[in-house]
Amino acid sequence: MKEWFLNLSIRYKLYAVVIFACLVALLFALLFSFLSQRYLSQRQLVDEVRTLAQVIAENSQAGISFEDHSTLNTTLSSLSAKPEVISARISDLNGTVLGVYITDRSYSELYLEKLPREMLADGAYRFNSNSLEMVQPVLLDDDTIGSVYLLVSLTGMQAQLLQLAGAMTALLVVGLILAVFLSNNLLAVVFEPISRLSFIMQKVSQEKRYDLRVQHTQQDELGLLSTVFNEMITQIQGRDRDLEEQVERRTHDLLIAKEAAEAANRAKSAFLANMSHEIRTPMNAVIGMTRLALDMEPEGKLLHFLRSVQTSADSLLVILEDVLDFSKIEAGQLILHSQAFHLARLLENVMSTMNIAAIEKGLALNYQIAHEDMLLTYRGYDLRLRQILINLVGNAIKFTEKGQVLITVAPVDLAIGKGVALQFSVQDTGIGIAPDQQNRIFNTFEQADGSYVRKYGGTGLGLAISKQLVELMGGGIWVESTPGRGSTFSFTIE
């Protein structure tokens, strides 16, 4: 019940409080009036019966003195004019009944008994459920010679009280109806400001309408609440305006910074491309002349010097190619060309390119295809696939002192109609990579350990470029490694 009342709207709560207060006040007033009227009615009846008993007592003095039953009965017969008198009797001091008046024989046993002693006091009376009993002493020269007993019905008084209760009930109903009518009109003074405030608050909360304001004219608490609410909305609106201006300024600054960064990136890419081209042209000449000199079959230290020049030139050319690819990827200018290629030829090409480096370190370089039916012609980005494999195989050879490097290819299941996906893995038996370093090695210019640069060389671009190329081809790349036992780099392409 309490929870139900608490969930009511404030309008119905105020109605309930007002109606309940009016009901309690009316009930209290009507109950007090009813009890007062009942008391007054009883007092009036007692006074009337006492007067009647005194008259009969004065008229019974002689009859009691001479024990004249006939005279006493005649005196009592005058009570027939009072229909509310049920019965009466006149007794002497010994309690002997000398005269009787009876309208209802069901009370006859009362007149054969002696009156209780406590009822002989002057004007003594007693209310029963439906009757009033009264005893009036009969005095002669200030001496009590007998008593008059009257039994009066309360039916008339009770009927009047019942009518009064009905009238009061009707008055209560009318009062409640009037209270409802008046409260509906008077409480509107409170409801309407609250309803307006609630409506505006819902609009502000749901529609973010911070331009709305609560209109009010009161100077009471509701007026103060509306004023404070309006001030709060004004502050929020001002704060939002300031935030919007700050966002606009920062967006403008970010756009300028973005354009400047893009311009700088374009300039860097152009610079790297130009530098790569400018360096690669004389480098190709160095490589070509070195090969020509080697074709002349030099001997001794000259042969050693020429091979060192060729190795260094080839390494520098690979670095230039990586830098150029990295700049193109960053600038979003790297274009992938899809064409048909044979998987076995691609792997043989990688093997022939990297086999000399593997033989120089005494490593076995092999490849393995999961199924013979995979020796088919595929369509994809074979040049970039070859570049990724060469990067991974080159790293595997670089960081492996003994054992082998194995290239494996296996199919990957795709949904129907999605084409064919292949998973390439390059497994080595090298130094391995610590678990906390495995996520860093795919970052630009990152290696697992800074000491590797001094010992093994490299720029840290190979894996970063491979990762970006794999992602451009719709795949993913990852590594599984155990320090001291080797690493397996795997990637998928569609």
Side-chain angles (χ1 to χ4, degrees), residues 12-79:
Y12 294 110
K13 286 179 183 176
L14 288 176
Y15 275 146
V17 170
V18 171
I19 298 304
F20 180 75
C22 291
L23 178 61
V24 171
L26 286 173
L27 283 175
F28 180 78
L30 293 176
L31 181 61
F32 179 77
S33 298
F34 179 80
L35 294 177
S36 298
Q37 187 62 38
R38 180 172 175 270
Y39 174 77
L40 293 176
S41 297
Q42 288 179 345
R43 294 299 304 171
Q44 182 180 0
L45 181 61
V46 167
D47 292 339
E48 291 178 357
V49 173
R50 181 180 290 115
T51 301
L52 182 60
Q54 290 173 352
V55 172
I56 295 175
E58 290 178 359
N59 294 330
S60 302
Q61 293 174 353
I64 295 175
S65 298
F66 298 104
E67 296 184 356
D68 188 352
H69 295 274
S70 176
T71 301
L72 293 175
N73 287 330
T74 301
T75 301
L76 292 176
S77 64
S78 63
L79 295 175

Side-chain angles (χ1 to χ4, degrees), residues 205-459:
S205 175
Q206 296 175 0
E207 302 179 9
K208 311 303 180 185
R209 292 282 307 277
Y210 297 112
D211 58 322
L212 299 178
R213 297 293 183 272
V214 180
Q215 303 298 326
H216 65 92
T217 57
Q218 301 97 326
Q219 301 300 322
D220 56 3
E221 289 81 357
L222 290 176
L224 177 60
L225 181 62
S226 300
T227 301
V228 173
F229 177 78
N230 289 339
E231 292 176 355
M232 182 181 66
I233 295 302
T234 301
Q235 293 176 3
I236 293 175
Q237 189 177 19
R239 188 174 302 172
D240 285 352
R241 190 182 300 112
D242 293 340
L243 288 175
E244 290 175 358
E245 293 176 356
Q246 291 180 10
V247 169
E248 289 179 0
R249 288 197 301 269
R250 292 179 180 178
T251 302
H252 179 70
D253 295 342
L254 287 174
L255 288 175
I256 294 176
K258 177 176 176 292
E259 292 175 357
E262 290 176 348
N265 191 50
R266 288 193 298 269
K268 181 191 70 174
S269 298
F271 172 76
L272 290 175
N274 292 332
M275 287 298 298
S276 298
H277 176 72
E278 294 297 332
I279 297 175
R280 185 168 47 185
T281 300
M283 186 57 59
N284 286 331
V286 171
I287 294 174
M289 293 302 175
T290 304
R291 287 178 179 173
L292 290 176
L294 288 172
D295 289 341
M296 298 174 63
E297 298 181 356
E299 298 179 355
K301 291 184 177 181
L302 180 60
L303 177 62
H304 175 70
F305 292 155
L306 289 174
R307 286 180 176 174
S308 297
V309 170
Q310 186 183 32
T311 302
S312 299
D314 289 339
S315 299
L316 183 58
L317 190 61
V318 170
I319 293 173
L320 290 174
E321 293 291 343
D322 287 344
V323 170
L324 183 59
D325 287 341
F326 179 73
S327 64
K328 288 181 179 180
I329 292 173
E330 273 199 333
Q333 297 177 352
L334 184 65
I335 300 175
L336 300 178
H337 298 283
S338 177
Q339 61 184 10
F341 68 93
H342 196 278
L343 181 60
R345 291 177 184 173
L346 174 67
L347 296 175
E348 291 290 346
N349 185 274
V350 173
M351 292 283 295
S352 63
T353 302
M354 304 304 299
N355 197 37
I356 295 177
I359 292 174
E360 289 178 349
K361 294 193 68 173
L363 302 176
L365 178 61
N366 299 300
Y367 73 87
Q368 180 179 343
I369 299 177
H371 306 292
E372 292 185 359
D373 54 3
M374 293 178 61
L375 298 175
L376 302 173
T377 299
Y378 298 90
R379 187 167 189 84
Y381 312 102
D382 59 326
L383 294 179
R384 296 302 175 182
L385 177 58
R386 177 180 178 275
Q387 180 181 353
I388 295 170
L389 288 173
I390 288 177
N391 274 334
L392 295 180
V393 173
N395 283 340
I397 294 173
K398 182 191 302 184
F399 295 106
T400 302
E401 299 298 332
K402 60 181 179 179
Q404 68 169 352
V405 176
L406 176 63
I407 305 172
T408 61
V409 186
V412 177
D413 294 332
L414 291 179
I416 298 176
K418 293 285 186 176
V420 178
L422 299 176
Q423 177 176 318
F424 293 83
S425 298
V426 177
Q427 181 179 357
D428 63 59
T429 57
I431 60 177
I433 304 170
D436 58 337
Q437 302 292 335
Q438 293 179 9
N439 291 327
R440 294 179 50 214
I441 59 176
F442 292 103
N443 296 333
T444 307
F445 306 113
E446 287 276 359
Q447 290 195 2
D449 192 330
S451 61
Y452 292 170
V453 177
R454 296 187 298 271
K455 183 175 181 180
Y456 298 101
T459 61

Side-chain angles (χ1 to χ4, degrees), residues 73-198:
N73 287 330
T74 301
T75 301
L76 292 176
S77 64
S78 63
L79 295 175
S80 60
K82 298 290 184 179
E84 65 272 13
V85 178
I86 299 174
S87 64
R89 64 188 177 190
I90 299 174
S91 305
D92 57 14
L93 283 177
N94 297 322
T96 302
V97 178
L98 302 177
V100 176
Y101 172 79
I102 300 175
T103 59
D104 189 348
R105 291 295 176 182
S106 62
Y107 290 92
S108 59
E109 66 276 4
L110 294 174
Y111 316 116
L112 302 177
E113 300 175 355
K114 291 185 177 181
L115 293 175
R117 301 299 300 177
E118 63 270 14
M119 293 297 291
L120 294 177
D122 185 15
Y125 63 90
R126 178 175 60 196
F127 278 98
N128 299 316
S129 59
N130 295 314
S131 61
L132 167 64
E133 296 177 88
M134 181 176 288
V135 174
Q136 179 65 36
V138 180
L139 302 177
L140 181 62
D141 296 331
D142 295 329
D143 293 327
T144 301
I145 60 175
S147 63
V148 176
Y149 172 84
L150 294 179
L151 181 66
V152 181
S153 173
L154 299 179
T155 304
M157 186 187 73
Q158 291 176 343
Q160 292 178 356
L161 292 176
L162 185 60
Q163 291 177 356
L164 179 62
M168 289 183 173
T169 302
L171 183 61
L172 176 63
V173 174
V174 172
L176 289 177
I177 294 174
L178 184 61
V180 171
F181 175 76
L182 291 177
S183 63
N184 188 40
N185 291 279
L186 295 178
L187 291 179
V189 178
V190 179
F191 293 154
E192 290 181 1
I194 295 177
S195 298
R196 287 197 301 268
L197 180 59
S198 176

Side-chain angles (χ1 to χ4, degrees), residues 1-17:
M1 183 65 180
K2 181 180 178 181
E3 184 177 356
W4 172 81
F5 179 77
L6 293 176
N7 292 330
L8 288 176
S9 67
I10 191 169
R11 175 187 295 269
Y12 294 110
K13 286 179 183 176
L14 288 176
Y15 275 146
V17 170

